[in-house]
Amino acid sequence: MILLALLLATQAPPPQAPYVAFPEPGLDDPAAYAGYTTRVYRDSRFNAVQIYIDAKTGRVVHVWANALDESIGFTVREAAVGFGATEATVGATGGQGGRRWLRYALKVPGGRSTRIGQFLLGSMRLERDFGYAGRVRDSLDAPPFVVPEMRQLARRLGAPYTARLTPALSVTRTASRWTIRATQPSLDGKNRLWLTLSGDARRSRVRLAHRVVTIRPLGSQPVELRVEIATDGPALHPLTREAIFNPAFLRFADSAKSPRIEREIRGFELLSSREKLMAGLPNYATYFGRDMLMTALLMAPIWSDTMDEHVIAAALAKLNPAGEVSHEEALGGQAIRENAARYLQHPDPAILRNLQAVRENYFMVDDDFQFPVVAARYLANPAVPDSRKRQFLTRWRAPLVKNLSYVLSQAMPYAREPVATNLVGFHRDDDGWWHPGSWRDSRVGYAGGRFAFDVNVVWVPAALRGIVAIDSTLRFLGLAGVPEAENAALAAATWSRTSRHFEVALAPAEALGRVRAKLASLPVAERVHWEQAVIGAGFPTDTLRFLAVSLDSAGVPIPVMSTDPAMWLLLENLGAEREAQILRPFRLPYPVGLFVDGLGPLTANDAYASPAVWQMFEHDLYHSPRVVWGRDVNTLLVSLARRASSTPILDAVVNAVEKSGFRHAELWSYEIAGGALRPIRYGTGSDVQLWSLTDLAVQYLLNARRPTQ
């Protein structure tokens, strides 16, 4: 028996500390997270598994960032749930295509009963929609959350589809332990998720009724729950840091011995696979074309020359027949959901044969023009041998040219007649709104505008220059060039002047009047705080000039100041005078400009726009004057770090963001209490996010600027 025990002990999987965790002592302010905690592990195939606990709602969610983007969630009521002392373990059964599992512990207080319900097993998109719908506020015994298209398809098809809509729950008891099991197959029956909760029967009792679990402690001591989650979904093939980063950066990272840099490197590993780069955890554990392409541009100083090939190939493999880049892929349960909607409209048996067929979203505009910029930079990289470029292009030339031809076709109307209404515009939604088809993709991110500054001033001109460069490289390598590439050169010259359509100039008195009107609309505490900020900083006595975030459908600027010109600085050398003008809003303190000490540059300032625009942003804060985006910060800092004359504004932004405590975050916000501004976590922000992790490039470039000892 002793030998058997020793054998079993040697075969037991070793405990794992979290690969990444938030908040982390010494790196994060726990108070700013307001009870939110998260840990990310790696499963037996090194795919990311995130567990987060939202103390405000009691929601516990597990995100499996595998090839199906899966999640398992439940809600805890009447008790504050937290992570237990037991470290997680991971393993697999049934070989490479079998079941992978993760086990860990949760802890609930003793002395009172705890109820658990709202079990939701499926895709992370389903969990997101559950949260967006506010269903976490429902009673635990409310009807299960099932999206309409899945319910309608199951009802049409009958058994066994109807039985797969919600998880099956069961309870077993022994003298020593009780166990609750939840299991659910995908609607097509091809995959399955498992959740197991168990406890010590000598310290607690359990009851399952109406899909609600009640745990009654037998004393006042905390109760530990053992949790096991499992999936048979396919795994991705992660990349190591040696494959992601170039040797110079790895030497810098090793010498820095920085816990934050190490955490960010680990975060990038969690999001990187041979198949794609994922946008972020927990909300976007799947391919996002724009996020991947913009990350490629920002990470260029520090990652390996093969990473561009991964990015370019991933985007080209997902082009639609017209040559448009996919914005987002729908996998697993989300693919089933979208294919169910297709089948309900057009009952084609072929859809049912592959309900998990990946669905692509082509509704965004900016990613189509970002792609040629990334491809051109890869082909211009002297570190990549011509033979490897030729081999890569031989495989991918046809879809590459398809995208370039599409970009050129979209740019030609303005090239032929350069008026504002011929710029590249957003698509119109059914309700008449212009769909925000660029990175500010909240409902009101572009203040209701049709023509975005970033699309038309930054991306289209850069894409046209990229087409010219790609055509030249193709011909140099002995391959056929880009059809009509000569038109791209002519179009690029015309498009280089598009910024004139977005220019806003306000006399001092008019600018001051608009700021005062905006402040008068704010709650008292905020109004007083920002009025004091204006008094302390003083108001500019000269004309205020900035570039509008967008134009309306008539081509008239909507005077919202934004951080988008930072990307222009990243891609172009505009000359000292023009760059100083572009950077001025970043220097001016809010509410006159964008800068907030101790927080960072706000992503927008709507003070100069109409009250209707103020109300838009008040109802949707995601890209409003209430947030700072890590994407904006890193784009600005990478741009500034390459300019010798940018030290004052560079230092100011670095210091402000450091003080915020959220330099690592996707985005963050603030609250004003007692006359003071306090940075806070933005509730739906990703914990590990591609744009945020480009801070690694910032740190590398800032280190290179420091004088050597």
Side-chain angles (χ1 to χ4, degrees), residues 370-493:
Q370 291 164 357
F371 179 80
V373 181
V374 174
R377 291 204 173 195
Y378 162 71
L379 293 173
N381 186 352
V384 182
D386 287 347
S387 59
R388 208 171 92 208
K389 292 176 184 175
R390 187 179 295 108
Q391 182 180 13
F392 185 78
L393 288 168
T394 300
R395 164 69 179 85
W396 293 106
R397 180 192 170 278
L400 170 66
V401 169
K402 184 185 294 185
N403 168 262
L404 303 184
S405 298
Y406 174 79
V407 166
L408 192 54
S409 70
Q410 296 300 296
M412 288 314 295
Y414 183 85
R416 297 188 187 101
E417 186 180 359
V419 296
T421 50
N422 279 341
L423 293 167
V424 173
F426 293 145
H427 307 291
R428 190 184 287 278
D429 287 335
D430 293 339
D431 61 3
W433 277 74
W434 296 106
H435 187 90
S438 191
W439 89 270
R440 296 174 183 268
D441 56 355
S442 56
R443 179 65 161 164
V444 301
Y446 288 90
R450 179 183 180 187
F451 305 101
F453 167 87
D454 63 324
V455 172
N456 290 286
V457 179
V458 179
W459 295 118
V460 177
L464 293 169
R465 296 193 300 271
I467 292 173
V468 175
I470 292 169
D471 175 72
S472 176
T473 302
L474 286 170
R475 297 179 188 280
F476 173 78
L477 295 173
L479 302 172
V482 180
E484 301 184 31
E486 64 279 3
N487 291 336
L490 297 173

Side-chain angles (χ1 to χ4, degrees), residues 311-322:
V311 166
I312 293 168
L316 289 177
K318 294 175 175 292
L319 293 185
N320 70 2

Side-chain angles (χ1 to χ4, degrees), residues 254-286:
D254 288 342
S255 64
K257 295 181 173 26
S258 164
R260 187 176 73 188
I261 289 176
E262 173 60 23
R263 184 170 72 177
E264 291 180 346
I265 290 172
R266 292 184 175 203
F268 215 95
E269 288 178 307
L270 292 169
L271 299 180
S272 302
S273 69
R274 291 208 304 264
E275 292 85 353
K276 62 193 172 188
L277 304 185
M278 290 182 286
L281 296 168
N283 297 315
Y284 310 107
T286 185

Side-chain angles (χ1 to χ4, degrees), residues 64 67 102 228 246 276 321 337 350 369 372 426 449 490 509 579 594-595 640 688 693:
W64 220 307
L102 180 144
E228 178 180 297
N246 61 38
K276 62 193 172 188
R337 178 180 176 179
F369 302 96
F426 293 145
L490 297 173
E579 289 181 2
L594 298 169
F595 184 76
L640 295 176
V688 180
L693 295 171

Side-chain angles (χ1 to χ4, degrees), residues 227-241:
V227 183
E228 178 180 297
I229 58 171
T231 180
D232 61 5
L236 297 172
H237 299 84
L239 298 172
T240 64
R241 65 184 63 193

